[in-house]
Amino acid sequence: MARLTLKNVSFSYVEDEPALIDVSFDVKQSEYVTIIGKNGSGKSTIAKLITGLLPELDNGEILLDGEKIKEEQIREKIGIVFQNPDNQFIGSTVRDDIAFGLENHQVKHDDMDKIIDEYSELVSMKPFLDKEPSALSGGQKQRVAIAGVLAMHPEIIILDEATAMLDPKGKKEIISLIHQLKKNDEKLSIISITHDVEEAFLSDHVVVLNEGKVIYDDTPENVFAHHQEIMDIGLDLPFFQKLKDGLIKEGFAVENCQNLSQLEDGLCQ
Amino acid sequence: MANISIGRYTPYDTFLHRLDPRTKLVSMILIMVMIFFSYGSTWTNLIVYGVLMVLIYILMKVAHITLKQLFRQLKLIWVMMLFLFVINLFTVKEPLELFGSVSFTIPGLNWTIYYSAFINTFYIFVRLALMLSLTLILTSSTKPMDLTYALEWLLHPLKWIKVPIHVFAMTISLALRFIPTLLDETERIMKAQASRGVDFQDGKFKEKIRAIISLIIPLIASSLGRSIDLANAMIARGYDPDKKRTRYRLLKFHKGDLFSFITVIIVFGLLLTGMILGVKII
Ligand SMILES: Nc1ncnc2c1ncn2[C@@H]1O[C@H](COP(=O)(O)OP(=O)(O)OP(=O)(O)O)[C@@H](O)[C@H]1O
Ligand SMILES: [Mg+2]
């Protein structure tokens, strides 16, 4: 069943310049959804609308479990990690930053240390608990942000280009952390906004946005099968897709392969 | 950017570092008041200041602050003092007795100088120096964030008249949190502008102003962007200034605090009584 539903959502910051036009898609329980699209296509706007950071919609509705989502529900059930690691580090140390959300949710003081230990451990930041943000790398700060969000037990996590400002190593760490989180909490839904088509390729479900409209909303295999259209809107294709295309051009019969290992088998036959 | 480290927190583990920031803040305020009291006679004043100076020097030792650090802070004050002294020489004519008389005359010049000119300048200097030492002790032994908590506690009564103290405290702590970030940013912008030919080192006054503007405008623009991001991050994590929040950092009053606080109160009480009664030591 769909947990989060966007139904015909339209939104504009400035009158007559819609940032989103009639956007609809579902996020199911324990699903890992990626949203891709070029700069300015409206991805962050979707994230901010879901997390209640923007004023009223022009049109349409956002539903949680089939009912119109309320402000308290958003704060309780949906967490978001933003792009810039510095601008979302609120506490003076790692410890205080994770505590910030707990304080807001009125967690009792005596329970806080245990929670902070648990979640800093989960994102491998426990040895850095008393460090200040200036002493941390971007990837470490993002892991702290993720810990801070997880500590509030959200059911849906949104990552708005959370890896965009990180180096390849930091990026890999965060993505493997996401996959680990999914294993730890079977019910957790993840919405990841990204420019990384490889990440999108490994997700459950891809939403492609262009100029405020959803143009594809499907499995990665089906979405990336539209090579030309994807390239036309300025996006790249995943390595697998390019390889497959190349092979088909060379006359190999690999049309039905859905991933790298099938491709391997297909070639070895 | 390293030269702003004066007066910064130094992570030692001393008696002073371990004290509750509230104890330190309130004690500092009381000691400052003592410094600004005027006691029964010139000599009494000098003796009280002398004693306070020795005590504060001991505290500085405890907090691992060197006299050199203090003198660096005093650098600006020397000029001011000299200026003040010259003015005092001509203007101050209080009948303050020092060695059995109130003034002396420079032979040949026929110029009468009052001792009070020296004494008043000296008082001001000592008061400023002591205040600076105290501030130095407080800031180098207390984390800025702890100081914010102490300030919030001290101003807590204002909540009764609906002053949003917790919002001020949050604002101060965010400002403190973002100082290093903004310094980094400043450095980055300076480098970027320097690579475009802006000269921050020399040049005429007009060119300097232009250089500074080329730094400030991008800095303000990026800070505004940051503040929007920050506000979004805070809201998304459930911050609402009008709602109740629990606290992670609790201030704890220990035995050492009680001891220090009582000592300060006793000294304060004694000096206050002495001042009111006009007690003269000499
Ligand atoms: N605060 C704002 N005020 C006015 N217009 C805005 C505002 N924020 C975004 N927009 C506009 O809305 C459109 C969508 O912006 P959005 O930030 O959602 O894009 P995005 O897909 O997240 O892009 P990016 O990949 O660069 O992050 C853009 O045309 C942008 O110029
Ligand atoms: Mg964006």
Side-chain angles (χ1 to χ4, degrees), chain A residues 13-14 19 38-45 161 195:
Chain A
Y13 291 96
V14 189
K38 64 170 191 272
N39 294 121
S41 55
K43 307 181 296 296
S44 298
T45 308
E161 295 188 48
H195 281 290

Side-chain angles (χ1 to χ4, degrees), chain B residues 30-271:
Chain B
L30 288 181
I31 297 174
M32 281 199 183
V33 173
M34 292 186 225
I35 293 170
F36 277 87
F37 278 166
S38 184
Y39 301 95
S41 69
T42 307
W43 285 111
T44 313
N45 268 337
L46 293 179
I47 288 168
V48 171
Y49 288 160
V51 172
L52 286 176
M53 228 186 279
V54 172
L55 289 179
I56 290 174
Y57 180 70
I58 294 172
L59 292 181
M60 274 172 61
K61 277 271 152 209
V62 173
H64 292 273
I65 299 167
T66 56
L67 281 178
K68 211 171 132 199
Q69 275 168 286
L70 178 63
F71 286 132
R72 219 176 329 168
Q73 298 263 294
L74 285 174
K75 226 169 22 189
L76 284 171
I77 292 180
W78 290 121
V79 187
M80 213 169 89
M81 282 304 123
L82 196 69
F83 184 66
L84 193 71
F85 177 60
V86 173
I87 292 183
N88 277 353
L89 274 185
F90 291 101
T91 56
V92 177
K93 297 201 163 48
E94 275 173 63
L96 278 181
E97 253 184 53
L98 195 57
F99 302 108
S101 65
V102 298
S103 63
F104 63 93
T105 309
I106 297 176
L109 276 177
N110 202 8
W111 181 19
T112 308
I113 294 177
Y114 283 76
Y115 282 121
S116 53
F118 293 95
I119 296 170
N120 280 353
T121 315
F122 183 68
Y123 281 173
I124 293 176
F125 175 71
V126 169
R127 284 168 178 166
L128 281 176
L130 290 183
M131 254 173 58
L132 270 176
S133 326
L134 280 173
T135 329
L136 209 55
I137 294 169
L138 181 72
T139 52
S140 72
S141 70
T142 318
K143 286 188 192 135
M145 220 42 99
D146 285 334
L147 214 50
T148 314
Y149 299 140
L151 206 60
E152 186 180 4
W153 172 83
L154 192 67
L155 297 177
H156 198 264
L158 291 180
K159 266 195 178 160
W160 293 98
I161 54 167
K162 296 262 187 289
V163 181
I165 292 306
H166 56 291
V167 176
F168 289 150
M170 176 59 75
T171 312
I172 295 174
S173 55
L174 286 175
L176 290 170
R177 146 71 188 91
F178 274 89
I179 286 173
T181 311
L182 291 182
L183 284 178
D184 279 352
E185 183 103 330
T186 311
E187 211 167 84
R188 208 171 22 243
I189 296 173
M190 275 174 90
K191 278 184 189 149
Q193 297 292 36
S195 77
R196 288 174 174 80
V198 177
D199 190 350
F200 287 98
Q201 307 289 312
D202 8 61
K204 287 194 221 76
F205 181 71
K206 212 171 134 190
E207 285 158 17
K208 270 208 168 133
I209 295 284
R210 204 177 282 163
I212 288 173
I213 289 175
S214 78
L215 171 65
I216 287 188
I217 302 281
L219 195 59
I220 291 177
S222 90
S223 304
L224 286 177
R226 274 183 202 285
S227 65
I228 293 171
D229 279 6
L230 182 67
N232 278 336
M234 289 174 74
I235 296 170
R237 282 162 72 181
Y239 181 72
D240 182 345
D242 300 326
K243 269 218 308 253
K244 221 175 134 54
R245 307 175 71 222
T246 48
R247 260 173 174 269
Y248 177 56
R249 297 281 178 187
L250 295 182
L251 298 175
K252 287 211 185 73
F253 205 72
H254 295 291
K255 265 199 207 116
D257 293 294
L258 194 65
F259 166 77
S260 316
F261 199 58
I262 289 178
T263 313
V264 173
I265 291 279
I266 288 176
V267 176
F268 184 78
L270 285 176
L271 288 181

Side-chain angles (χ1 to χ4, degrees), chain A residues 138-162:
Chain A
Q140 289 174 327
K141 281 180 233 183
Q142 286 307 64
R143 295 216 296 268
V144 174
I146 292 176
V149 166
L150 287 175
M152 301 188 286
H153 303 293
E155 296 166 14
I156 300 168
I157 291 189
I158 303 175
L159 300 142
D160 186 357
E161 295 188 48

Side-chain angles (χ1 to χ4, degrees), chain A:
Chain A
M1 195 193 106
R3 289 234 59 194
L4 188 75
T5 308
L6 271 75
K7 214 164 142 189
N8 308 107
V9 169
S10 297
F11 179 85
S12 38
Y13 291 96
V14 189
E15 221 171 314
D16 295 330
E17 282 178 38
L20 293 179
I21 306 158
D22 206 19
V23 168
S24 302
F25 65 90
D26 284 342
V27 178
K28 299 195 183 66
Q29 188 170 65
S30 62
E31 201 176 24
Y32 176 12
V33 179
T34 45
I35 301 179
I36 57 175
K38 64 170 191 272
N39 294 121
S41 55
K43 307 181 296 296
S44 298
T45 308
I46 291 186
K48 285 181 188 153
L49 283 174
I50 298 175
T51 46
L53 296 171
L54 290 174
E56 288 291 292
L57 304 178
D58 296 351
N59 201 0
E61 47 190 0
I62 299 175
L63 310 172
L64 185 72
D65 298 325
E67 305 221 0
K68 200 162 181 226
I69 196 163
K70 291 194 239 9
E71 171 93 20
E72 314 89 70
Q73 278 181 317
I74 295 175
R75 298 293 157 248
E76 206 168 294
K77 301 196 167 159
I78 305 179
I80 180 163
V81 178
F82 296 96
Q83 176 176 7
N84 191 314
D86 266 315
N87 300 356
Q88 53 186 323
F89 203 109
I90 296 151
S92 54
T93 64
V94 171
R95 205 182 266 294
D96 293 86
D97 192 61
I98 301 177
F100 177 77
L102 301 177
E103 292 176 322
N104 295 334
H105 281 75
Q106 301 178 37
V107 172
K108 280 200 229 71
H109 173 265
D110 294 344
D111 300 336
M112 285 189 190
D113 269 319
K114 213 183 115 240
I115 300 175
I116 292 171
D117 276 356
E118 185 186 337
Y119 287 96
S120 58
E121 176 90 66
L122 184 66
V123 300
S124 333
M125 284 300 290
K126 202 166 172 189
F128 303 93
L129 273 179
D130 290 305
K131 287 264 187 290
E132 294 175 7
S134 49
L136 302 175
S137 73
Q140 289 174 327
K141 281 180 233 183
Q142 286 307 64
R143 295 216 296 268
V144 174
I146 292 176
V149 166
L150 287 175
M152 301 188 286
H153 303 293
E155 296 166 14
I156 300 168
I157 291 189
I158 303 175
L159 300 142
D160 186 357
E161 295 188 48
T163 60
M165 290 175 80
L166 308 183
D167 56 18
K169 185 165 159 276
K171 224 171 249 189
K172 259 204 196 110
E173 282 171 5
I174 298 290
I175 291 178
S176 73
L177 177 61
I178 297 173
H179 286 279
Q180 189 201 328
L181 293 180
K182 276 204 58 187
K183 267 187 220 132
N184 287 2
D185 180 355
E186 307 234 302
K187 290 183 178 159
L188 185 71
S189 308
I190 296 172
I191 304 173
S192 177
I193 293 170
T194 181
H195 281 290
D196 182 355
V197 285
E198 303 300 335
E199 186 194 341
F201 189 66
L202 295 176
S203 66
D204 300 329
H205 166 180
V206 182
V207 175
V208 183
L209 220 58
N210 190 40
E211 292 172 358
K213 292 191 196 115
V214 173
I215 55 171
Y216 298 111
D217 172 16
D218 210 333
T219 60
E221 291 78 18
N222 291 345
V223 167
F224 289 115
H226 301 272
H227 327 181
Q228 201 51 49
E229 292 87 340
I230 293 286
M231 307 257 269
D232 283 348
I233 60 163
L235 293 173
D236 203 5
L237 287 173
F239 171 69
F240 164 79
Q241 203 66 45
K242 285 190 209 159
L243 182 63
K244 191 168 135 183
D245 287 357
L247 288 171
I248 292 171
K249 223 183 230 164
E250 296 295 320
F252 292 92
V254 288
E255 283 87 350
N256 294 324
C257 299
Q258 297 293 317
N259 56 42
L260 270 180
S261 65
Q262 287 181 11
L263 205 58
E264 252 169 57
D265 296 344
L267 280 180
C268 294
Q269 274 163 16

